[in-house]
């Protein structure tokens, strides 16, 4: 019976606040409903201005359990804040595939990544009047080789009280082998955790939420995420309403609306209760 299960507190984080007005609106609604308790802000996004920040702060004021983090962004189609950042692709960050390849081949200058992440932390601090509660990375760039050291140095220097997101699961190896994307995140996160531990920077004990976005049964996926999440674990999600800005910037569209529909509905509330999970 559900009453026999120990109560678990998890962080359910909606990524990409700032990417579009429709995504922002969905995230704020879920915060006010207390269906999520964290969101990561893309300060380089087109919908991360003063009005968007004020609206987010108003939503969080209605949900005292919600924290706000920085979604450090280093991939296209977004533009660096630092003028000297390289490499660029048509004035933008490189696409994800080039970013991962270059990091594995050690072709980056870590100083440029350090400066860019520091600039994004500074932009967050200027807009919110405080440092972020935590820092993670768009498309998981923070765990890439070469990137992770510079990323952690920037956080340690500019937001020393923040925790960071690692993307490794706590599951038996046999269960991890069936999901190649999540398995890659597991492997890269092992090095990230070692770097963070040496730097004395806190990180989440477990991670869930990576999946093939062509899958439409988000309720079934969420149940697997909850099954693999210990007390204190972090689950990411990407709820949103599709608008023209989102379509122009990101291929993840309709699935955001499916995530929002489930998270805002009674089924998710009942799932949390049945699994003895709290977002408090």
């Amino acid at each position: 019976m559900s009453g026999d299960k120990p109560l678990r507190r998890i962080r359910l984080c909606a990524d990409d606040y700032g990417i579009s007005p429709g995504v922002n609106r969905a995230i704020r609604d879920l915060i006010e409903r207390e269906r999520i308790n964290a969101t990561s802000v893309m300060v380089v996004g087109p919908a991360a201005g003063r009005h968007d920040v004020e609206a987010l702060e108003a939503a969080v004021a209605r949900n005292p359990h919600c924290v706000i983090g920085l979604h450090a962004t280093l991939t296209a189609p977004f533009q660096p804040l630092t003028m000297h950042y390289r490499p660029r692709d048509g004035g933008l960050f490189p696409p994800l595939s080039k970013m991962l390849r270059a990091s594995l081949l050690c072709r980056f200058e870590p100083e440029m990544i350090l400066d860019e992440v520091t600039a994004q932390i500074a932009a967050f601090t200027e807009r919110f009047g405080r440092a972020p509660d935590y820092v993670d990375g768009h498309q998981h760039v923070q765990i890439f080789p070469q990137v992770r050291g510079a990323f952690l140095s920037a956080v340690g220097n500019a937001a020393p009280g923040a925790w960071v997101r690692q993307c490794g699961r706590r599951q038996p190896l046999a269960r991890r082998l069936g999901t190649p994307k999540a398995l890659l995140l597991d492997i890269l996160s092992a090095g990230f955790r070692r770097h963070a531990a040496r730097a004395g920077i806190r990180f989440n004990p477990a991670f869930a939420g990576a999946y093939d976005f062509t899958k439409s049964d988000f309720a079934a996926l969420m149940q697997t995420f909850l099954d693999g999440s210990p007390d204190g674990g972090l689950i990411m999600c990407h709820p949103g309403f599709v608008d023209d800005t989102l379509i122009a910037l990101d291929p993840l569209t309709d699935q955001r609306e499916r995530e929002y529909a489930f998270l805002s509905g009674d089924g998710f509330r009942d799932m949390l209760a049945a699994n003895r999970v709290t977002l408090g």
Side-chain angles (χ1 to χ4, degrees):
M1 297 185 53
S2 63
D4 298 327
K5 298 178 182 179
L7 184 68
R8 288 176 291 156
R9 290 177 171 81
I10 64 167
R11 283 284 176 204
L12 180 55
C13 176
D15 288 359
D16 300 345
Y17 191 90
I19 197 173
S20 81
V23 168
N24 289 2
R25 184 161 53 90
I27 290 174
R28 292 195 303 266
D29 180 68
L30 292 173
I31 290 172
E32 293 182 8
R33 291 171 183 257
E34 298 190 11
R35 299 302 178 87
I36 58 175
N37 58 358
T39 188
S40 301
V41 179
M42 305 174 76
V43 295
V44 299
R50 181 180 298 276
H51 170 76
D52 306 287
V53 167
E54 291 175 350
L56 176 58
E57 289 180 318
V60 170
R62 301 183 183 97
N63 180 350
H65 303 298
C66 189
V67 294
I68 306 174
L70 169 68
H71 204 46
T73 304
L74 299 172
T75 54
F78 302 97
Q79 186 174 354
L81 294 183
T82 50
M83 296 297 295
H84 66 278
Y85 186 89
R86 297 292 183 276
R88 292 185 185 229
D89 194 328
L92 306 176
F93 290 115
L96 177 62
S97 58
K98 289 185 178 180
M99 184 77 182
L100 178 57
R101 188 182 310 116
S103 71
L104 292 171
L105 296 174
C106 296
R107 292 179 176 171
F108 282 114
E109 294 183 34
E111 190 68 25
M112 290 189 179
I113 295 172
L114 171 65
D115 290 348
E116 178 62 29
V117 176
T118 299
Q120 292 187 25
I121 295 173
F124 181 103
T125 302
E126 188 276 328
R127 294 177 203 185
F128 286 88
R130 62 176 180 86
D133 295 309
Y134 63 96
V135 187
D136 57 33
H138 184 52
Q139 299 182 316
H140 314 298
V141 293
Q142 80 276 16
I143 65 174
F144 291 1
Q146 282 202 299
V147 176
R148 57 195 176 206
F151 170 89
L152 290 167
S153 293
V155 174
N157 292 335
W163 53 273
V164 295
R165 177 192 292 181
Q166 67 89 22
C167 303
R169 296 169 293 173
R170 248 195 216 177
Q171 291 180 334
L173 180 60
R175 291 186 61 186
R176 288 190 267 168
L177 293 176
T179 50
K181 177 181 177 180
L183 182 59
L184 176 62
L185 298 180
D186 288 340
I187 294 169
L188 294 176
S189 290
F192 180 85
R193 291 193 299 271
R194 288 193 296 269
H195 277 71
R198 285 198 296 266
I201 297 175
R202 295 174 296 124
F203 51 85
N204 52 300
F207 173 79
Y211 69 98
D212 179 352
F213 290 121
T214 63
K215 295 180 179 179
S216 59
D217 191 351
F218 188 67
L221 288 164
M222 179 56 71
Q223 183 60 63
T224 66
F225 300 155
L226 292 176
D227 289 343
S229 295
D231 186 54
L234 170 70
I235 301 174
M236 73 170 181
C237 58
H238 296 82
F241 299 121
V242 177
D243 56 24
D244 290 342
T245 304
L246 180 64
I247 291 170
L249 291 174
D250 196 89
L252 181 56
T253 53
D254 294 344
Q255 184 65 8
R256 292 183 189 265
E257 295 198 344
R258 287 192 284 270
E259 290 194 20
Y260 169 80
F262 175 70
L263 294 173
S264 62
D266 292 343
F268 180 53
R269 180 200 60 199
D270 295 343
M271 181 181 287
L272 292 176
N275 286 272
R276 295 270 294 159
V277 169
T278 177
L279 304 181

